[in-house]
Structure formats: C-alpha cells, structure tokens
Amino acid sequence: MSKEYMAIFNLAEDESDIKALTAKRSLASVPIGSRFRVIDFMLSNVVNAGVTNVGIFADTNSRSLVDHVGDGKPWDLNRKNDGLFLFNHRLIDIANFESRALQSNMEYLFRSQSENVILTSSYMICNMDIRDVIRSHEDSGADVTAVYTEVENADREFLNCFTLEVDEVHHNVTGVGKNIGYIPNASICMEVFILKKSLLISLIQENARSRHFSDLYSLLLSKLNVLNFNAYRFDGYVACINSKSGYFKANMDMLRMDVSSELFRSKRPVYTKIKDEPPTIYVKGCRVSNSLVADGSIIKGTVRNSIIGRFVVVEEDALVEDSIILQNVQIRSGAKLSGAIIDKNVVISENAEFKGNEYFPTIVEKRNVYLP
Amino acid sequence: MAKKNMIALILAGGQGSRLSPMTKVMAKPAVHFGGKYRIIDFALSNCSNSGIDAVGILTQFKPQELNVHIGIGTPWDLDRVHGGVAMLPPYMSEQGGDWYKGTANAVYQNLSFCDQYDPEYLLILSGDHIYKMDYREMLRKHIAEKAAATIAVINVPLEEASRFGIMNTDGTDHIVEFEEKPKHPRSTLASMGIYIFNYRLLKKYLEQDAADPDSSYDFGKNIIPNMLNNGETLVAYEFKGYWKDVGTIQSFWEANMDLLSLDNEVRLFDTSWKLFTRSDVRPSQYIGEDASVSDSIITEGCIVNGEVTHSILFPGCRIDKNARIVDSIIMEDCVIEGNVIVNKGIVLEKSVVKSGNVIGDGDKIAVIDANSVLEPNIRG
C-alpha cells in the first residue's frame, strides 16, 4: 500500500497572522510543544502510514526548515529508493507557473513510482491514521478524498481556512467556502487530500495554460463539479497554527493529558530531530508545576503552566507562567514572564517583565546569536 | 583502507558481576547511567570528541544490548565512509576459535582489524568508566616523550590504592614499575586502563605474548611488565578530572548522585564536550500540577505527578500523585504508582511498583529487578 502513495507537502502557507515567529523561518519549522517543529506532526503522520517518498515544496525562507529536516533521517526518510525530496526553488506554490523551477518539480512527479499522492500542508497539528484515510479513499472509488474536521470554535480558530459543505449521508463534498469567523460551527478542510498523481499533473498542466488559480488547493477545490470528492471526517484533536493565538493555544493544549496522550503516546510516534541534550536538571529550590520541559534545561526558578524548550535556563527568583519559551533562552533572576512567547536565543535580563495573554501573547522575537 | 594516525579499541567484554542484577541481561558497558546514557557512551563520546573516527568494540559477555545500542554508530558520528565503528566478538578460524582469554589476547585476536588502518598509534580503552577526556592531549604527551606506551593514571587516595594497578614513576612521569593491586602501595597513581601504544611495537609484544603458554594474556600482568623489563619508555599521563569505575552497586549509585550538582565534575551539562547516546524520540517531560521536583535529573517522556527529590529519572517514567522518590534512580519506562515510597532505591527498567509499596529504608540501597511487577501492598 505504502509504495502506491507518495506525500507532497505544500508549504505555501498563510503566515500573515503569525509573522513574529516566521520572520526568520517558515511556518513549518516553527518550534512547538517544547521540542518539536510544526511539520513534525504531519510528516510523522505520513511516515507512520508507511509512505517512503515525501516531497516538500518550501518557499525561499527555508534555511531553518532545511536544517531541521536534513536528509530526513529522524523520519526514516534517508532512503536509497525514494526518501525525502526538498524543493526549495524560488517558487511560492507548486501551482505557480511563473517560475521555471516548475519543470524540475514536474519531473519529480513524473518520475515517482507512486500512483497516488497524499497532498498536505504542515500547520494542522494532529496525530492522524492516514492508513484509515487511504482505506476510505479506496473504498469510495472517488477521484479525490478531502479530510475535514468538525469544529465549534471557528469564530476564533481556523480563520481563513477552507470550509467544506459535506453530504453526511453520502460522504461527499458538495461545496467549498472560507472560514471568515462568523459562526462557531464549521467543517474545516484540513488540507489533507488524496488523489491520483496523474490527476494532480493534469490539473497543474491545465492551470499552466489558463492561469486561473494562484494556489493549488483553490485549483483542486474548483473541480468540485467535475470530480467526485469523498469526504473523510477526522475526529481526533486538531490545532491550527495559523495565528499567534492558535499557536499559543496549541502549545497550552499539550499540557492537557488527553491531548498529549493522543498526540504523543499513541502507536504512531511523532518524530523530530535529535539534538543530544543532557537531561534537564531541577535545582534545589525550584518550583515547577503543570509544565512541559525539554531536555538540556536548567531550572532554578518558578515555572507554571508553561512550555519550556531545549537548553533553557531559568534562574533563581525568575517567574515563568502561562508562557512558551523556545530553545536556548536564558531567563535571568527576578524576571517575570506571563502570557509571553520568547523565541530562540533570547536573554531576558534581570528583573525584566513581559506580560501578555492567550489572545494577545507578547512575543520576543528570535535573536541572532552573533548580535550583542 | 586509508591510513589512520590513531585508532581505538574499546574493551567491552566485562561481565560486571558485582553490578548484578543490572548485568543480568547485558554487559557492564551497556548498563544505563545518568538519566539517559549507557556507561560505554562516555568512552565512545570521548573518541568522537577527540577526533578518533575508527573504533573497534571488543565484546564477549552478553553483547546483544550493546550491539543494538551501538548499531552503525550514528549517534557518535561513527557511521563513516572510512573507518567508523565495528563490533568485534571472538570468532572461528581455520585453526579453530577461542574466547578472549585476557585483555591482551582480545587485542591480539583483532590485529587484522587494526592492520587495515595501518595506524601509528593504538588507543586501548575500557568501556566501563565514567569520565570525559581528550585523548589528543594524551597522544601529544606520548609523542613528545617518544614513549613506547603511555598509560593514563589518576591520583587516588592512599587507602584505596591497593584496589588498583599502581604505577611507580621516577618523578619525571617515566614508569619504572607496575604493581597490580599492591598490599603496600608506594605510589597513588592508579592505572585508568587507558593505553596508547606505538602500534607496530605493541604488535610484536602481543605476538610474543600469544606464543607464551604461561601468560595470563593481560595488559597489566604481562604486556606492561614485559615492556618494562625490556627497557621500553613507558610514560604516565596524569588525568586530572572526574573518573569513576562503577564496579559496585554502591559506586554506581554514588556516581549517579554525583551528577545532581550543577557543577558536577562529570561536566554533564558542558555542551562543548557533549555526551552522545542513542535515544528514542519521546515527548518532553511533563511536570504535573501537584508534582514537587527538586535537586533531580529528569528526562524525555517522563510524567511526574508525585514528589521527586535528589533522584534521577530515566526516559518514560511515570511517577503518580502521592508517590515519593528520594535519593533514588528510576530507570526507563518504570511506573511508580501513588502511595509508594522509594527511598534510596534503584528500580530497573520497565518495572511497575503498585500502590502501597515501600522500597528502601534510606540506608542500604534497594534494587528492584527489571520488568518486575510489585503488586499492591495494603499498609496497616
């Protein structure tokens, strides 16, 4: 089964509401959940379904992504046959034909031996059994399977995502729209599709002539009237990382045992790059509660309801609560953080205070290590 | 194969019977240590950090866990085009086959492995020791002194000296005498079991030793004394730093507890000399609402809702609410349920301690075997 399916990551993702974290990296490589990156979840999902051919179409801002996925070894994708293919051309979307780079991309599609494509984005965080999606696709005999999730908070989350109208009886997609945040209940398109590779190629070729669409999903969903769309409802936990508040919430959700059990402790593990950190040391006098802490950290102060990344130092008398601290951050004595997101390599000086909340978290942007 | 200046052989065949039951299913170098490591990670990481890229690991006693752990050496950057890591168990040949009869015999049986690199120097290490050391500095001294062999030594307290192989030197670090476990030691420089030899010279001695039916085929008992008798230049390289041979449960426990101070001499948190290991990908550790953690080392995949004080948790442990872990070591994937006290205990991997049990009295170290299930104990 796995050889018949390849996966394509379309990373032309909307980063406009999460710019502070994506100024120096792609959305797919934003650190999340204390030791993972956004793409780890969906990448692990396809790998856990037995897929061994994964193409990632990144945009130009992908230094951090390239550093993270490397040769794909953590996901067992450093393969002689198939494996990981990273397309890092100056190209915004694989359906964008302004770029000459397309030719090589098309060659990848033609040369791959898989007949079917799992087409996906990176920013929907979930642990999905994609084998089950494949089964549904094959049973339905449909041209395309689209995965969706029923949500009750579409007025706050999943903004600007595609919504699907679904015929629940026939499991068909009958219509498509955008979530503009007016009503809480919606069927959100998770941007996970299964289709024949030949269909994907012909769609792209057709669009190359007409140039009606500038993004691949709009192109695909525009074919609702001519193609048969099977709808697959995903009932598990989903977080949408397309805004600061969505990012904040997804991290905090991982403090819940039900969410973290589903995401991390199923039979389908989430893989990520290994960094060889020592274990974390909790120094006498520290106070830590309800927090997720990565290895390599030194905790001397107080940490509550927070997400602590790798190689973080929290000094004595520092207070970190309801905050997300990314890798290699130092929080000096007397500093107070609440509702804050501190990006990589930042030093929070003594007695400094940063305060935000779940809807408007205060973000301290990533520091380049060579700067003073 | 390309010539190498120095390659390393790690002696990893030791049974470590005094560490039982930890060594029930694995050789001593494979024993877990320090929250996420195995003892052999120290020697292997030292090689990697010292720029040694060809390493042979001599195994004999229960090597399966070690084989799986080492694999092709990727965690230590030892999956190399030229060189890398090789597991070297005893083997059969046309003349029959033998177990490794001693440390020197183990190396003798693997001379062909060494020959393929045509090395100038051979570094011999033990896979049993906890220390961080730059072998390049030792090699520099070896070359500067034009030595035939250089032996790393560490200053031990006089009262402990009779437990070690003791080097008596002439005051300029030249070894004049070697005494194995002397009753009345005349020096406190103990051999660390780390040797650098001029390879071609060593080969000659090993071949002579192999032909001697009365030999114990041991570096300390035979090769070193033979070299001294022949007037070869043997030099002591004094290592100043943390070094521990965790030979007993007591010293294993102590060495682990040594890590709990931030400025621990093992330099566990010194990222300029990283300790590498093979690890599964697990989520970050979760410290719960009611947890109390202090003076402890905790790692990936742990879920802590109880009290952990002055202790070490290995990956994937679950410490439930109202459990109390003090002065203890809890190994991989153990479950400690609520209303359990572990006071100066070592709970080996994949054990489940159900509610109501008390392990350890805070005085003598209590060890719970791997894969144990301690049924609920209703306390009166």
Side-chain angles (χ1 to χ4, degrees), chain A residues 6-10 53-57 83-87 108 118:
Chain A
M6 62 191 288
I8 290 182
F9 279 79
N10 176 21
N53 183 346
V54 176
I56 298 179
F57 290 79
L84 185 74
F85 300 87
L86 193 60
F87 296 89
Y108 163 66
I118 301 160

Side-chain angles (χ1 to χ4, degrees), chain B residues 156-163 185 188:
Chain B
V156 295
L158 184 63
E159 59 273 20
E160 285 180 31
S162 43
R163 285 178 30 215
T188 53

Side-chain angles (χ1 to χ4, degrees), chain A residues 34-219:
Chain A
S34 160
R35 67 165 305 188
F36 297 93
R37 302 274 177 152
V38 167
I39 197 172
D40 290 342
F41 293 85
M42 205 48 96
L43 192 52
S44 300
N45 286 340
V46 297
V47 167
N48 286 330
V51 172
T52 57
N53 183 346
V54 176
I56 298 179
F57 290 79
D59 60 11
T60 51
N61 195 5
S62 55
R63 184 210 59 81
S64 133
L65 180 69
V66 171
D67 181 51
H68 180 64
V69 297
D71 64 354
K73 186 164 179 60
W75 301 269
D76 204 23
L77 286 173
N78 57 334
R79 304 260 66 84
K80 275 197 173 169
N81 295 319
D82 295 340
L84 185 74
F85 300 87
L86 193 60
F87 296 89
N88 193 23
H89 304 298
R90 195 177 296 176
L91 135 124
I92 305 305
D93 188 287
I94 57 173
N96 179 337
F97 293 94
E98 299 306 310
S99 167
R100 295 180 64 188
L102 175 80
Q103 282 179 350
S104 67
N105 301 342
M106 287 303 270
E107 186 170 343
Y108 163 66
L109 284 179
F110 275 111
R111 283 179 51 166
S112 299
Q113 289 169 12
S114 313
E115 271 182 39
N116 306 287
V117 173
I118 301 160
L119 177 66
T120 180
S121 299
S122 77
Y123 69 96
M124 294 279 181
I125 303 289
C126 62
N127 190 325
M128 184 189 291
D129 182 359
I130 289 188
R131 283 181 204 267
D132 197 49
V133 185
I134 290 172
R135 264 193 296 277
S136 160
H137 178 70
E138 290 179 351
D139 290 349
S140 73
D143 300 308
V144 181
T145 290
V147 181
Y148 71 101
T149 179
E150 300 275 8
V151 303
E152 293 169 348
N153 58 353
D155 51 339
R156 280 174 285 117
E157 309 288 327
F158 301 95
L159 296 176
N160 295 320
C161 293
F162 288 105
T163 55
L164 301 180
E165 280 170 36
V166 176
D167 173 348
E168 297 272 3
V169 180
H170 300 96
H171 305 290
N172 279 344
V173 182
T174 54
V176 60
K178 278 258 175 178
N179 175 29
I180 51 174
Y182 273 7
I183 32 174
N185 289 71
S187 300
I188 297 292
C189 172
M190 288 183 67
E191 298 184 6
V192 176
F193 300 96
I194 297 183
L195 67 164
K196 279 214 155 45
K197 185 178 75 178
S198 55
L199 173 60
L200 179 65
I201 290 172
S202 70
L203 285 172
I204 291 175
Q205 283 173 335
E206 181 200 310
N207 196 52
R209 289 190 295 275
S210 66
R211 298 192 183 178
H212 273 143
F213 296 97
S214 60
D215 80 272
L216 189 57
Y217 300 137
S218 297
L219 164 64

Side-chain angles (χ1 to χ4, degrees), chain A residues 33-36 73-74 254-257 260 264-265 269-272 274-298 300 305 308 310-311, chain B residues 34-37 72 74-75 79 259-262 264 268-269 271 274-277 279-303 305 316:
Chain A
S34 160
R35 67 165 305 188
F36 297 93
K73 186 164 179 60
M254 290 178 198
L255 294 175
R256 284 165 41 194
M257 232 354 106
S260 86
F264 300 121
R265 294 170 201 277
V270 184
Y271 301 101
T272 191
I274 285 176
K275 293 250 171 94
D276 296 295
E277 324 87 298
T280 281
I281 183 161
Y282 295 84
V283 177
K284 202 171 188 169
C286 75
R287 283 193 305 212
V288 183
S289 69
N290 191 34
S291 294
L292 212 48
V293 185
D295 269 1
S297 293
I298 298 171
K300 300 176 184 171
N305 312 328
I308 309 290
R310 312 189 217 208
F311 297 114
Chain B
K36 63 191 295 189
Y37 305 101
I72 58 166
T74 310
D79 51 337
L259 302 174
L260 291 175
S261 77
L262 251 188
N264 65 77
L268 196 61
F269 305 104
T271 50
K274 268 191 185 178
L275 201 50
F276 304 109
T277 191
S279 45
D280 296 337
V281 176
R282 298 177 187 256
S284 290
Q285 54 211 276
Y286 174 73
I287 311 296
E289 192 71 61
D290 305 306
S292 154
V293 293
S294 170
D295 203 9
S296 293
I297 283 177
I298 302 178
T299 187
E300 297 154 355
C302 289
I303 300 177
N305 283 303

